[in-house]
Amino acid sequence: MTIGSQVKQSLANMKAIHATLQQLALTSTNDEAQRAFHEAMLETEQMIAALKGRISTLEREEPQYKGM
């Protein structure tokens, strides 16, 4: 597995984690748990943005990774 495909797989995993945290935040009946899930979800959004930026950089600097 290439670096490009590993980063893209990490992005897919992070999006799945984000969706799970979002679902937990919406369905939790405990206010403290809701807040914790929501805060974690916000952190994953930052990680997703960073991974997207890294993918853009990889595709720009290493054309063989484009579209993988």
Side-chain angles (χ1 to χ4, degrees):
M1 187 179 272
T2 66
I3 296 297
S5 60
Q6 288 176 340
V7 174
K8 288 181 180 182
Q9 183 61 50
S10 296
L11 175 60
N13 291 338
M14 191 56 60
K15 285 181 177 181
I17 291 167
H18 180 270
T20 300
L21 289 167
Q22 186 175 33
Q23 186 63 33
L24 289 167
L26 291 172
T27 58
S28 178
T29 57
N30 181 303
D31 288 342
E32 187 176 337
Q34 275 184 331
R35 271 192 299 279
F37 290 134
H38 183 73
E39 288 174 13
M41 185 187 72
L42 294 176
E43 289 183 32
T44 63
E45 289 175 359
Q46 293 173 350
M47 294 175 203
I48 288 169
L51 286 168
K52 285 180 178 180
R54 183 63 185 136
I55 289 169
S56 294
T57 300
L58 276 173
E59 290 177 343
R60 188 174 51 256
E61 293 178 0
E62 302 291 339
Q64 70 269 24
Y65 293 134
K66 193 168 199 114
M68 288 186 83

